[in-house]
Amino acid sequence: MKCLSSTYMIRTLAMSVATHIKCRGGTYPRSSIQRLSVPDHKISWTVEYPEYNPPYYTAASIQGQPWADLEIGDPNFKPKWNSQDGTVNRESYMGPYKVVNDVPLNPVGRTGVQGRGVLGRWGPNHAADPIVTRWKRNETGDIQYDENNKPILQFVTIKRRDTDEWALPGGMVDPGEKVAATAVREFREEATSSLTMSENEKKAWQEKFQKFFERGDEVYRGYVDDPRNTDNAWMETVAYNFHDENDSVVGTLKLHAGDDAVGVQWLDITPNLNLYASHKDIVKEVVKRKIL
Ligand code: BGC
């Protein structure tokens, strides 16, 4: 795939980093591990908390996986923290993170669990998210407005299998892969794989698709308040908005919840949206740029 990044309009991030809400308290995902409860004022590592001794958890399912790091201390594991380490990017968008006793520290603060949990990498785990938008229209093609007379934006969302929550169709950046390419690949895999098309339709669609996804607008780059985060491993993402102003490419895709196995739909962006991790904040940023 051709390098997309040069064609991207990079905008500075105005969104503030969400503090730990989804990655604090309760049970760690896909486990019975109880996070140590960390009060708001003790999230920051700069606040002393000498008795802090959270459970250590690294899921057995990630150990030995080709996409996962080895244990710290393993003679075959020599990570280059805070740098591009071969094909693995161990740099954080949040700036240099601290490494204490060879273990990276979550740049936002304490989460109540140590280890890697279900995340493959120590330190930052990089993802990419596409926010594919269109205007909501009625049957005759007119744009729909809300009670404040603002046009209604819709975006493509998928239902995550792990938490059953609606989310952006994003995914993990493969080693060596360009982040923008990940966002496009994930959209294809998660949101369009179930569409039934003839071979000819597919060909025409591929060409239009390629063009459409060359023009993305970066709306977020940074830490994500993901329920899988730990004190030593966390999610970061870059999110790109791909907007179909006239429904000329993806806007015409007929996606309806329940149409297929993954659960994918065009969803109205409303103030009471409830989405996975920090996805609501990312979507809100798109609305701010497009409407407010
Ligand atoms: C998801 C992305 C998400 C990231 C951080 C990844 O697993 O696929 O959509 O932004 O985690 O929560």
Side-chain angles (χ1 to χ4, degrees):
M1 166 179 252
K2 118 174 185 233
C3 166
L4 299 174
S5 52
S6 59
T7 61
Y8 276 67
M9 276 169 63
I10 306 293
R11 291 203 191 161
T12 34
L13 165 70
M15 249 172 79
S16 60
V17 174
T19 191
H20 290 161
I21 294 169
K22 299 203 177 176
C23 68
R24 204 163 37 116
T27 311
Y28 187 88
R30 290 173 256 166
S31 80
S32 56
I33 303 293
Q34 290 300 310
R35 288 182 187 266
L36 187 81
S37 155
V38 179
D40 287 357
H41 68 284
K42 286 195 173 158
I43 293 178
S44 170
W45 296 108
T46 60
V47 176
E48 297 229 352
Y49 191 174
E51 67 279 26
Y52 182 65
N53 186 20
Y56 184 98
Y57 178 58
T58 293
S61 58
I62 67 161
Q63 293 176 28
Q65 294 292 346
W67 43 263
D69 287 339
L70 295 172
E71 282 304 295
I72 285 173
D74 186 304
N76 294 319
F77 186 49
K78 299 192 174 68
K80 296 196 183 88
W81 304 123
N82 284 303
S83 17
Q84 182 70 39
D85 184 6
T87 55
V88 179
N89 180 10
R90 299 194 192 275
E91 278 181 287
S92 167
Y93 299 129
M94 312 304 292
Y97 49 87
K98 286 208 171 106
V99 179
V100 176
N101 299 330
D102 280 340
V103 182
L105 276 196
N106 185 311
V108 175
R110 299 179 175 102
T111 65
V113 68
Q114 318 174 58
R116 262 178 301 166
V118 293
L119 295 176
R121 304 278 173 212
W122 294 98
N125 287 252
H126 290 285
D129 285 289
I131 310 130
V132 175
T133 52
R134 70 176 184 187
W135 298 114
K136 183 175 188 173
R137 293 171 192 272
N138 63 16
E139 279 130 40
T140 51
D142 300 321
I143 294 179
Q144 308 262 275
Y145 291 81
D146 65 14
E147 60 281 6
N148 300 315
N149 226 14
K150 305 257 190 219
I152 302 171
L153 258 186
Q154 295 186 314
F155 76 112
V156 176
T157 178
I158 54 130
K159 193 157 214 177
R160 284 182 70 103
R161 274 179 216 283
D162 53 355
T163 61
D164 235 25
E165 285 171 288
W166 288 99
L168 294 170
M172 309 301 290
V173 178
D174 287 339
E177 187 178 36
K178 291 257 181 312
V179 181
T182 307
V184 177
R185 174 176 58 72
E186 289 291 339
F187 182 80
R188 260 181 218 255
E189 287 176 11
E190 296 193 21
T192 65
S193 60
S194 58
L195 295 174
T196 43
M197 287 184 198
S198 70
E199 280 310 305
N200 277 348
E201 280 170 333
K202 250 189 216 155
K203 227 175 125 209
W205 157 247
Q206 293 290 1
E207 282 163 20
K208 280 197 254 164
F209 191 93
Q210 193 97 9
K211 272 220 163 69
F212 177 74
F213 281 101
E214 276 168 11
R215 288 181 301 105
D217 191 3
E218 182 177 318
V219 292
Y220 183 71
R221 175 180 287 254
Y223 186 88
V224 182
D225 179 29
D226 187 289
R228 297 166 294 182
N229 292 350
T230 71
D231 287 359
N232 316 116
W234 59 92
M235 289 301 312
E236 299 196 4
T237 199
V238 184
Y240 302 96
N241 177 214
F242 301 93
H243 180 65
D244 194 353
E245 183 65 25
N246 307 310
D247 278 3
S248 52
V249 187
V250 290
T252 51
L253 285 178
K254 300 259 183 295
L255 309 170
H256 296 290
D259 265 7
D260 52 60
V262 283
V264 47
Q265 64 174 332
W266 284 104
L267 190 65
D268 293 1
I269 305 180
T270 56
N272 50 8
L273 264 188
N274 194 9
L275 300 175
Y276 181 75
S278 316
H279 288 183
K280 181 180 178 175
D281 296 329
I282 296 173
V283 169
K284 266 174 35 193
E285 182 62 27
V286 175
V287 173
K288 210 159 92 191
R289 291 168 184 226
K290 287 254 162 304
I291 302 176
L292 303 176

